[in-house]
Amino acid sequence: MTLPQLNIYRHDRGTRALITLAGEIDPVTAPQVRTALERCLNDGITTIDVDLTTVSLCDTSGLRVFLDASRHAAETHTSLPLHYPSPQTARLLADTGSDRVLL
């Protein structure tokens, strides 16, 4: 059995960060995403762009992380948009109504 893999890359430019995720976001890897987003918020980043171009799967555990981070970001007047979701992830966002908050 192989474990799901997720690579997380962060590039800062002033108070803006680009988080690029590559792989699968599921119950095993979602905590890594949560940690990366929390670090941005703790570092004073005011715009966190999340690039999902190479995310092959995002389940409800990933959705929960994004929604929680979005709520926390809003409390600190931080923008946290998701960019380029796969059709599967876009469907998950649309089916749950989360697309209005996260895209």
Side-chain angles (χ1 to χ4, degrees):
M1 180 173 123
T2 60
L3 292 175
Q5 184 172 343
L6 179 70
N7 292 309
I8 301 173
Y9 305 97
R10 176 177 168 180
H11 177 74
D12 292 358
R13 180 170 284 164
T15 59
R16 186 175 200 128
L18 172 63
I19 301 291
T20 302
L21 305 173
E24 298 180 2
I25 305 171
D26 62 14
V28 173
T29 60
Q32 296 170 33
V33 177
R34 181 180 304 279
T35 298
L37 297 175
E38 286 175 355
R39 282 186 183 146
C40 287
L41 292 167
N42 291 336
D43 290 346
I45 298 295
T46 59
T47 301
I48 306 167
D49 293 300
V50 180
D51 182 352
L52 301 175
T53 303
T54 54
V55 170
S56 57
L57 170 92
C58 180
D59 69 8
T60 56
S61 60
L63 177 61
R64 170 59 44 209
V65 167
F66 291 132
L67 288 171
D68 289 347
S70 178
R71 268 192 288 282
H72 187 209
E75 292 169 1
T76 61
H77 306 289
T78 298
S79 171
L80 196 155
L82 305 182
H83 301 280
Y84 313 113
S86 69
Q88 176 270 328
T89 302
R91 193 169 38 259
L92 174 65
L93 294 171
D95 289 351
T96 60
S98 303
D99 56 339
R100 294 183 300 262
V101 175
L102 297 171
L103 295 180

